[in-house]
Amino acid sequence: MMINKGDFQLMPIRSEDLKTVLQWRNSKRIKSFMYTDHQITWDEHCQWFESLKTDPLRKTFLLHHKNLPLGLVNFTNINKENARCYWGFYIGEETAPKGSGTIMGILALDKIINEVGINKICAEVIHTNSGSLGYHKKLGFIVEGRFVEHVWKDNQYLDVIPMALFKENWAKVRIQLLADLKGGT
């Protein structure tokens, strides 16, 4: 089954989305790969949302497929002077069509690079998250090093892999990703 990129939209998060997003974020599947993995309360979640509205260094979007929210992408530490930011994301809906993550990456990276003028997107991936490491490499991210014993999770210290995607490389990788989605190579 081919997936149609035109059926997907990246839209700014709205207050109507908060219940769904909190449910995703508190799911074991999502929080197991986050820096913070405590059960987030409704009040904490609302405070986070309110802070987004006034913070010019953050942009948060939901991926929608035919008007159904599937996942979240969050850009933080947007530094226009150095044309750099960090990103984080997840597909929250377990029934999301195969390829939704790739489309979310394409839409989000296009948006931050073309609309905000970012040259370097930074990511930090917990070393045990092989799915995210593979996803980042597929999108053209390169490994920039290793933060040893960087986070305490599950009663142990875990390493974090810093990664980066550069605008110039994205232009090349994007063409191949779009071809792959159309059933090309």
Side-chain angles (χ1 to χ4, degrees):
M1 181 179 97
M2 271 207 294
I3 192 164
N4 182 355
K5 183 174 157 269
D7 289 340
F8 292 83
Q9 283 182 293
L10 206 57
M11 297 173 14
I13 189 170
R14 307 162 306 169
S15 56
E16 305 91 281
D17 302 317
L18 288 180
K19 281 195 171 98
T20 300
V21 171
L22 182 60
Q23 197 172 14
W24 292 341
R25 182 59 181 81
N26 276 334
S27 72
K28 185 171 176 15
R29 187 174 64 84
I30 302 296
K31 72 180 177 182
S32 66
F33 293 113
M34 298 293 190
Y35 276 175
T36 58
D37 56 10
H38 71 283
Q39 194 73 7
I40 296 167
T41 66
W42 178 250
D43 283 347
E44 275 180 280
H45 191 56
C46 289
Q47 285 171 8
W48 167 79
F49 180 67
E50 286 304 313
S51 73
L52 285 179
K53 294 182 196 174
T54 58
D55 187 346
L57 305 182
R58 292 192 291 177
K59 294 184 179 296
T60 303
F61 303 94
L62 288 194
L63 177 72
H64 290 258
H65 177 250
K66 299 180 179 177
N67 296 320
L68 177 74
L70 297 180
L72 177 140
V73 62
N74 193 28
F75 292 101
T76 60
N77 297 349
I78 297 170
N79 181 321
K80 291 190 179 182
E81 182 183 351
N82 295 301
R84 177 185 72 225
C85 70
Y86 279 81
W87 87 324
F89 55 84
Y90 50 83
I91 293 292
E93 282 302 318
E94 293 190 57
T95 59
K98 187 167 171 39
S100 296
T102 300
I103 289 175
M104 181 169 68
I106 292 168
L107 294 175
L109 294 168
D110 280 352
K111 182 176 276 298
I112 201 72
I113 289 168
N114 300 329
E115 293 177 22
V116 182
I118 295 296
N119 177 60
K120 179 181 183 180
I121 298 98
C122 304
E124 293 183 359
V125 182
I126 294 174
H127 82 276
T128 54
N129 191 347
S130 56
S132 184
L133 285 167
Y135 175 75
H136 278 91
K137 287 177 181 173
K138 176 181 176 175
L139 293 178
F141 281 75
I142 59 166
V143 172
E144 289 198 312
R146 188 175 195 102
F147 300 141
V148 177
E149 295 186 6
H150 198 65
V151 293
W152 177 258
K153 283 181 75 67
D154 303 321
N155 294 314
Q156 62 183 324
Y157 286 106
L158 298 175
D159 294 357
V160 170
I161 311 296
M163 301 182 83
L165 174 68
F166 296 89
K167 178 181 178 179
E168 187 179 315
N169 195 31
W170 175 241
K172 298 171 198 160
V173 171
R174 178 184 193 280
I175 293 165
Q176 186 61 52
L177 289 171
L178 289 170
D180 291 350
L181 283 173
K182 290 189 176 102
T185 53

